[in-house]
Every structure is written in structure tokens, then in C-alpha cells.
């Protein structure tokens, strides 16, 4: 396993050619049409607040059979280090994804020379259905953990909603909850705020089937800065250097101060771009 601190965020920004954060975005007709369609579904699910009941994943009991030796070895290390066995609580794929997120955090903290966190209020911004709540609990050992998701009632083809899945994922986890809210309007102090792959350009918003009306990155990053306690940390995971540079501009504009960055080259699951993890504080 190798982790390398390759770039400062300024380095990311220099690597950036022509990708600018959308201060006043102009969307194409096609983007507007797609956004309108997603907005209909968003409004419907938000008003309906549909729940078919808690969705409980059938625990796999074992890891995916097709894992390589190096994946198995890394999982074994994580199990020992963090005392987890995700496959006892969820599907084999969800378990592997939890090991992947835990591994990214573990590599990053080692690279930054920081000791493993313990206690404090942790917010996860943009949690989808919060399938990785267990990995966050295992790593941060928080006093409270809250996953906040703006489109928390999206309905899946099987009739369950994100809310239903999230209730299953947080079940049995102490002081852990899932909140459906726009984080830009969520006023709660936190010691650690983490965001995995936040949207900083419009294209992924549409690819994720979210309406562009919900895309307000500067408001989101400003709220992150104002919710963060003075000694707190904001940890952000982006896909590749361009996205990291774009996100870094929003952070700076929100008054956040850059602390560390890491590009993780070896991940448990193949990724189209190396995850770039950066750490920010208020001063
Ligand atoms: C790229 S997805 C990442 C999902 C999840 N963090 C993961 O790693 O699988 C970004 C998520 O952020 C959510 N989101 C976007 N803007 C948000 C906001 N203002 N407040 C809360 N959630 C938001 C989206 O609905 C989406 O689920």
C-alpha cells in the first residue's frame, strides 16, 4: 500500500486547465431539459416522503469470492486494526465498499501523520443512503455521527427509498442518524465534517440524476465553514486533481484554510480517477 502526498492544492489548481467553478453557471438547453425531468422526480419524492419500511441487507457472512490476494490481505489488516467485519452486517459488495472507504481514511491519516480520531460530532455531507455509516463509525469513533442528504427520499426500483436503506444501515449503530436536509441550510456545529465526492461542477449533478436547482456549491461550502468548530476539520474526497482544484476554490472562498492533501494511488476497488483527499480548517 502506498500513499503519496503529491500535490499541494495550489499544485492541483495549476494542473487545472479551463475548468472553472460555476460562479454564475450557464446551462445548455439539453442540461436544462434533463434538470427539469430530475426536478419533477425530486419534488415528487420529497413531497411523498415514501417509506416501504426499513431495508435490511442480508449479511453475506463472507467476502466476495472474486477478490484478489492483495485485496484479501488489505481487508485482513483493516479487520484487525479497526475490529470490523462488515460482511457480517451487509451484502458482500457493500462490505467491500465499506472496507474501501475505511482504507482511504486509514491511508490518509497515516500519510498526514495524524493519530486516529476519537469522539466529537461528525457530519457526513451528501450521504446518498448512508451505506458507509459503519466505515465512518469505525474510523472516527464519534460521539455522534449524522449523515445529511438532500435527496433522501429517492425511490429505488424495488420500491424502497434511500431513507429506508439508511435506516437499515444505521440500525444498531450508537448515536448515528440519517437526516434528509439541504446541508447549505443545516445549522449545527460539528468537530469533523466529511464529504465524499461533493458536486462542484454541473455535469456530475445531472449524471447523478439531481436537478441543477439543488446545485449551489458556494452556499454548501460556506455552511460547512460556518458549522465547523474553531478546532474542527473538514475532510473532502474528490475524484482526481481537476475536481479537487475546483473544490479547493470553493473552500478558500468560504474562508477555509488548507491543511493537508493526499492522492491515494492504491485503492481496494478500481476507480476511474485517484481519490484526492484534502483537509481544511477555519484558521
Ligand atoms: C457524488 S454523490 C456521493 C454520495 C456518497 N457520499 C458516496 O460517497 O457514495 C453526492 C451526494 O451529495 C448529495 N448532495 C448534493 N448537494 C447536497 C446538499 N446541499 N446537501 C446534502 N446533500 C447533498 C447528492 O444528493 C448526492 O447523494
Amino acid at each position: 500500500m502506498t500513499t503519496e502526498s503529491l500535490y499541494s492544492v495550489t499544485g492541483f489548481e495549476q494542473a487545472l486547465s479551463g475548468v472553472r467553478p460555476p460562479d454564475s453557471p450557464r446551462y445548455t438547453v439539453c442540461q436544462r431539459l434533463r434538470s427539469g425531468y430530475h426536478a419533477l422526480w425530486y419534488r415528487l419524492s420529497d413531497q411523498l416522503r415514501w417509506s416501504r419500511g426499513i431495508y435490511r441487507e442480508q449479511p453475506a457472512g463472507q467476502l466476495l469470492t472474486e477478490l484478489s490476494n492483495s485485496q484479501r490481505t488489505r481487508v485482513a489488516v483493516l479487520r484487525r486494526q479497526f475490529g470490523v467485519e462488515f460482511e457480517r452486517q451487509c451484502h458482500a459488495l457493500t462490505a467491500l465498499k465499506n472496507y474501501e472507504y475505511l482504507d482511504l481514511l486509514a491511508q490518509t491519516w497515516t500519510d498526514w501523520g495524524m493519530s486516529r480520531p476519537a469522539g466529537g460530532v461528525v457530519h457526513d455531507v451528501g450521504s446518498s443512503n448512508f451505506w458507509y455509516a459503519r466505515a465512518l463509525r469505525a474510523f472516527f469513533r464519534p460521539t455522534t455521527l449524522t449523515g445529511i442528504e438532500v435527496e433522501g427520499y429517492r425511490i429505488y426500483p424495488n420500491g424502497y427509498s434511500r431513507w429506508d436503506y439508511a435506516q437499515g444501515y444505521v440500525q444498531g449503530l450508537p448515536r448515528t442518524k440519517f437526516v434528509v436536509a439541504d446541508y447549505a441550510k443545516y445549522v449545527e456545529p460539528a468537530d469533523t465534517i466529511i464529504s465524499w465526492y461533493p458536486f462542484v461542477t454541473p455535469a456530475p449533478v445531472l449524471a447523478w440524476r439531481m436537478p441543477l436547482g439543488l446545485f449551489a456549491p458556494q452556499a454548501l461550502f460556506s455552511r460547512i465553514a460556518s458549522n465547523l468548530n474553531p478546532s474542527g476539520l473538514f475532510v473532502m474526497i474528490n475524484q482526481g486533481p481537476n475536481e479537487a482544484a475546483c473544490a479547493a476554490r470553493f473552500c478558500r472562498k468560504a474562508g477555509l484554510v488548507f491543511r493537508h492533501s493526499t492522492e491515494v494511488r492504491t485503492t481496494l476497488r478500481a476507480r476511474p480517477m485517484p481519490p484526492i483527499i484534502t483537509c481544511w480548517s477555519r484558521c
Side-chain angles (χ1 to χ4, degrees), residues 219-240:
L220 180 71
F221 282 86
S222 296
R223 176 62 59 201
I224 288 171
S226 60
N227 278 354
L228 201 59
N229 283 332
S231 59
L233 290 179
F234 171 51
V235 179
M236 175 168 62
I237 300 88
N238 298 115
Q239 311 220 43

Side-chain angles (χ1 to χ4, degrees), residues 101 126 128 131-132 149-150 181-183 196-197 199 208 210 220:
Y101 273 24
S128 182
W131 57 264
Y132 50 95
E149 167 57 51
V150 70
D182 178 350
Y183 196 79
W196 298 83
Y197 310 111
F199 295 136
W208 202 260
M210 207 176 96
L220 180 71

